[in-house]
Amino acid sequence: MKACETCRRPMASDNSGRLCTPCARRSVQASPAEEKPDEFWRRPALREALRSKHIGYVINAYRLEHRPVLTQAAVGRWLGLGQPQVSRLESSRTPVHDLNKLEAWARALHIPQPHLWFQLGKASAQVGADSDTPWDELVRGLNRSDVGPRTVEQLQIFTEELCCEYAWRDAGELKAEARRCLQGISTLLSGSCTLVEHRELLVTAGWLMLLTGCIEYDMGNYRQAELDRSAAFRVGEETGHGEIIAWAFEMSAWFALTQGRLNAVGPACEAGTAAAPNSSVAVQLSAQAAKAAARMGRRDSVTKILDQGYRLLGQHERPTRPDNHFVIDPTKWDFYAMDCYRIVGEDRRAAEHAQEVLRISRRPDGSDRSPMRATEARLTLAVVALRQGDVAEAAEWTTTALAAERKSFDSLAMVADELRAEAERLFPNDPVVRSVTEPIKQAYAAMHA
């Protein structure tokens, strides 16, 4: 049995290192923090903590993602803090705004500048919601930048970040930032660049057009959404990018589904799958087809399509950025299945998937990281409660669901209208059901205001 090089005690059989776990931890804690690769800072827990602009949450995520996991006392030594101070930082709901402290701690942990919400070396700058991010600087600088691998790479990273923020960020802010980036890409495309750079810029623009199309549709701007979708489709054709073409068809299917044009969903899904049969977008297309089949009463087709989609999902590795709107991973499958099972009346399975959607969407502070999906999950649970005769619980789920700030206009309208119809079917002329239908009417009025 191999022994630890420091304490000479026997080591666990699955330990391939030179030190036992306690000695390895002490070794790490005695040394300064090491620089981490960019992949470390792109892990979901780190990215979420960094987006919160709360250094305590960042320290907590850093400790827990580090291998071996670090104690508060160990990180405190790097930061010049005691264990109680680190504990207070991690648990406090109030973020630190002292830029001198933020800079010192960021440098101690070697947090790369592109991942920070403040500028290192600019202690006089304002920290908070109005601060510029590195992405703001990139977009402002596009008009005066020469095209090159670094510029293209930065644009690709920026675009992916925007796609990852789709689920929770304010729609107006996200749209404005995406359109600013598109304008910058347009400027670069009109200048001098290589054929490879030209194609990469077009592909990046295609993803941004898909994103803005989704946002415009969420906001009820249907004409602009279709213009963006069509532009992305043309980019996909020009660059031979099957995945962009497939997502453009997926958006067509989504538009048709939420507008009640159910017969148009299947052909769009088939065309999208043909464009990128081996891409994960084929899973999303299966989900849209299953939703349409459920609403057309084709119960057997729903099961068949869901099984096919689940098999497709199993053929793909878990993505490195599962929160990207244009990436499909197992956590999204519960959302798709939930909708279908609710429509065909399989309440137990619909409720199980809805609870899983809520669990996955819940942040440590109780807020939703995917508010649009969480809203539909709560409306699903409201339908199940109604079918079980519990109007009070249904009303509570409905009110909570409709209180979310980030909404998809037509998706919400479709599911909420199905809930209202179910309430009126199960409780005709019963005043008690108004506790469910009135919040829906008020939400409609607010959306059309």
Side-chain angles (χ1 to χ4, degrees):
M1 182 177 291
K2 187 169 64 172
C4 171
E5 290 185 2
T6 299
C7 67
R8 308 311 302 171
R9 292 175 182 155
M11 292 168 56
S13 59
D14 61 348
N15 188 337
S16 60
R18 298 180 296 105
L19 306 176
C20 64
T21 299
C23 288
R25 183 174 287 114
R26 284 192 292 272
S27 175
V28 168
Q29 294 172 2
S31 307
E34 61 181 10
E35 292 190 31
K36 299 290 186 184
D38 194 63
E39 289 74 16
F40 176 82
W41 301 104
R42 291 164 68 91
R43 292 180 184 176
L46 266 303
R47 285 189 290 104
E48 185 171 335
L50 288 159
R51 281 200 297 258
S52 74
K53 300 181 180 181
H54 190 306
I55 194 66
Y57 297 166
V58 175
I59 293 170
N60 177 262
Y62 179 94
R63 286 197 308 104
L64 298 181
E65 291 293 322
H66 194 282
R67 293 297 178 270
V69 173
L70 298 169
T71 65
Q72 291 177 333
V75 174
R77 283 192 285 273
W78 292 340
L79 304 179
L81 303 173
Q83 183 274 328
Q85 291 173 295
V86 175
S87 178
R88 284 195 295 272
L89 268 179
E90 292 186 1
S91 60
S92 174
R93 289 185 173 272
T94 305
V96 173
H97 292 302
D98 185 328
L99 192 54
N100 289 311
K101 291 181 179 178
L102 291 172
E103 283 192 20
W105 295 335
R107 292 186 189 282
L109 297 180
H110 302 291
I111 305 176
Q113 176 66 81
H115 296 284
L116 292 170
W117 62 96
F118 56 89
Q119 292 294 307
L120 293 173
K122 294 186 177 180
S124 60
Q126 178 185 2
V127 177
D130 297 330
S131 298
D132 284 343
T133 68
W135 309 122
D136 291 322
E137 293 188 353
L138 166 63
V139 175
R140 280 203 309 271
L142 284 175
N143 289 344
R144 58 178 183 274
S145 296
D146 295 328
V147 182
R150 178 61 176 163
T151 300
V152 172
E153 181 184 12
Q154 285 182 312
L155 284 166
Q156 291 169 336
I157 293 172
F158 178 42
T159 297
E160 185 173 34
E161 290 298 328
L162 292 181
C163 292
C164 290
E165 293 173 356
Y166 170 81
W168 57 268
R169 190 171 175 185
D170 177 81
E173 291 179 2
L174 187 60
K175 180 179 77 170
E177 202 155 351
R179 294 226 178 269
R180 287 168 61 201
C181 191
L182 277 169
Q183 290 172 359
I185 291 175
S186 178
T187 300
L188 291 177
L189 286 169
S190 65
S192 176
C193 57
T194 68
L195 288 175
V196 172
E197 290 166 350
H198 188 272
R199 183 185 184 278
E200 291 301 310
L201 289 172
L202 277 178
V203 168
T204 303
W207 289 117
L208 285 167
M209 290 168 187
L210 291 172
L211 178 63
T212 55
C214 291
I215 299 168
E216 295 286 6
Y217 196 76
D218 289 343
M219 300 173 73
N221 303 325
Y222 308 127
R223 182 175 179 276
Q224 186 59 54
E226 177 56 28
L227 289 173
D228 289 347
R229 188 205 68 81
S230 298
F233 178 80
R234 290 194 299 273
V235 166
E237 286 194 315
E238 182 176 342
T239 58
H241 201 292
E243 201 170 356
I244 288 178
I245 295 172
W247 276 107
F249 277 117
E250 190 278 338
M251 289 173 65
S252 287
W254 177 35
F255 294 174
L257 178 70
T258 54
Q259 292 169 13
R261 296 182 287 108
L262 300 180
N263 288 326
V265 176
C269 291
E270 290 175 5
T273 301
N278 299 317
S279 171
S280 67
V281 65
V283 180
Q284 176 99 349
L285 289 161
S286 294
Q288 301 292 19
K291 290 181 179 184
R295 286 167 174 81
M296 289 189 286
R298 300 174 182 171
R299 190 186 187 103
D300 291 342
S301 295
V302 170
T303 303
K304 181 180 179 181
I305 296 170
L306 284 178
D307 288 345
Q308 177 188 2
Y310 193 73
R311 285 196 299 272
L312 285 171
L313 184 63
Q315 296 171 11
H316 295 275
E317 295 182 1
R318 182 177 175 83
T320 56
R321 304 296 301 273
D323 50 348
N324 187 325
H325 182 59
F326 301 108
V327 164
I328 308 301
D329 79 315
T331 64
K332 292 182 181 178
W333 191 251
D334 288 288
F335 176 66
Y336 307 140
M338 169 194 77
D339 178 270
C340 296
Y341 289 132
R342 180 188 73 248
I343 294 298
V344 299
E346 293 195 28
D347 295 344
R348 181 185 61 80
R349 298 180 76 174
E352 288 175 353
H353 284 290
Q355 292 289 2
E356 183 64 11
V357 170
L358 291 178
R359 186 191 69 78
I360 294 168
S361 296
R362 194 173 296 116
R363 290 192 178 104
D365 64 0
S367 63
D368 294 322
R369 60 167 57 88
S370 301
M372 291 183 287
R373 274 187 248 162
T375 291
E376 291 196 27
R378 293 185 176 103
L379 291 177
T380 292
L381 292 170
V383 170
V384 172
L386 276 176
R387 291 172 179 167
Q388 294 173 345
D390 195 335
V391 178
E393 183 179 352
E396 185 175 349
W397 281 120
T398 302
T399 302
T400 305
L402 298 176
E405 292 185 7
R406 179 71 168 95
K407 297 180 177 75
S408 175
F409 187 94
D410 269 49
S411 291
L412 174 60
M414 178 181 70
V415 180
D417 196 54
E418 291 165 350
L419 169 61
R420 179 196 56 76
E422 191 75 356
E424 293 175 351
R425 181 184 70 84
L426 293 170
F427 299 90
N429 304 316
D430 190 337
V432 73
V433 85
R434 290 177 184 167
S435 60
V436 175
T437 58
E438 281 302 316
I440 296 174
K441 291 179 181 178
Q442 293 170 9
Y444 280 177
M447 286 189 293
H448 288 92

